[in-house]
């Protein structure tokens, strides 16, 4: 990955006050998706984090994972499987398998599901997302597939070192890299 992409990611990111008086700020990553240089380099950069592991399928949770995951799958020559959040829309007609995310970055429990049969025991599964804060989604997604979990590639890895090591999470940036 080029240093230029990391610099672009930092420069196009900002923290935003939602104006609710909570004193809490939220990440605004919209500058990443607006920049064509970031979009054109992101798939290769994230793929390079796990290219030597030879993933055969990329799985990503909605919403942002549906943007980032296919970019990485294309760069790897791998397939893509979308992971849906329960209750986010009308039910999917095909059979699904679900995993519980005990507590996400907001402290909420949720369910992530994938269509049955989209990855088999011979697959090498790479989870891809924009951000990992606790590793909870990575852990849940890892449990859904019979193949080999090779790791998780993210733009920002904000997990504790123990969690990042346990789940083999690799990021282009750490939380401390952001302005």
């Amino acid at each position: 990955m080029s240093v230029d992409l990391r610099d672009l990611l930092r420069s196009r990111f900002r923290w935003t006050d939602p104006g609710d008086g909570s004193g809490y700020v939220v990440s605004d990553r919209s500058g990443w998706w607006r920049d064509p240089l970031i979009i054109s380099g992101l798939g290769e950069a994230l793929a390079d984090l796990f290219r030597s592991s030879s993933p055969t399928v990329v799985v990503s949770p909605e919403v942002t994972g549906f943007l980032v995951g296919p970019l990485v799958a294309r760069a790897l020559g791998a397939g893509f499987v979308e992971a849906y959040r329960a209750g986010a829309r009308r039910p999917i007609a095909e059979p699904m398998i679900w995993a519980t995310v005990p507590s996400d970055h907001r402290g909420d429990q949720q369910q992530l599901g994938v269509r049955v049969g989209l990855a088999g025991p011979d697959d090498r599964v790479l989870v891809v997302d924009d951000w990992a804060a606790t590793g909870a989604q990575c852990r849940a997604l890892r449990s859904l597939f019979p193949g080999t979990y090779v790791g998780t590639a993210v733009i920002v890895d904000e997990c504790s070192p123990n969690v990042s090591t346990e789940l083999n999470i690799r990021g282009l940036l750490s939380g401390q890299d952001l302005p």
Side-chain angles (χ1 to χ4, degrees), residues 87-165:
R89 74 191 41 72
R90 293 181 183 191
I92 295 169
E94 297 83 18
M96 301 281 289
I97 54 172
W98 296 92
T100 299
V101 179
S103 180
D104 67 7
H105 66 284
R106 292 183 184 104
D108 297 332
Q109 181 176 337
Q110 58 181 291
Q111 298 277 319
L112 289 173
V114 297
R115 288 178 173 90
V116 172
L118 291 180
D122 295 332
D123 276 311
R124 299 181 55 74
V125 179
L126 176 64
V127 173
V128 172
D129 205 358
D130 63 337
W131 203 292
T134 67
Q137 289 189 136
C138 305
R139 196 172 274 112
L141 290 172
R142 177 179 68 176
S143 75
L144 291 176
F145 294 93
T148 301
Y149 165 81
V150 298
T152 297
V154 294
I155 300 170
V156 179
D157 177 6
E158 200 175 33
C159 294
S160 72
N162 289 343
V163 169
S164 292
T165 299

Side-chain angles (χ1 to χ4, degrees), residues 13-77:
F13 176 86
R14 66 188 183 117
W15 294 104
T16 304
D17 180 345
D20 60 2
S22 68
Y24 183 73
V25 294
V26 295
S27 61
D28 178 358
R29 296 161 279 190
S30 61
W32 292 349
W33 318 134
R34 176 61 182 93
D35 191 311
L37 294 174
I38 291 175
I39 294 294
S40 69
L42 200 52
E44 288 292 335
L46 287 168
D48 284 346
L49 297 174
F50 284 93
R51 193 174 302 279
S52 64
S53 299
S54 304
T56 59
V57 66
V58 169
V59 60
S60 297
E62 65 177 318
V63 171
T64 310
F66 286 12
L67 169 67
V68 181
L71 295 173
V72 177
R74 182 179 183 275
L76 291 168

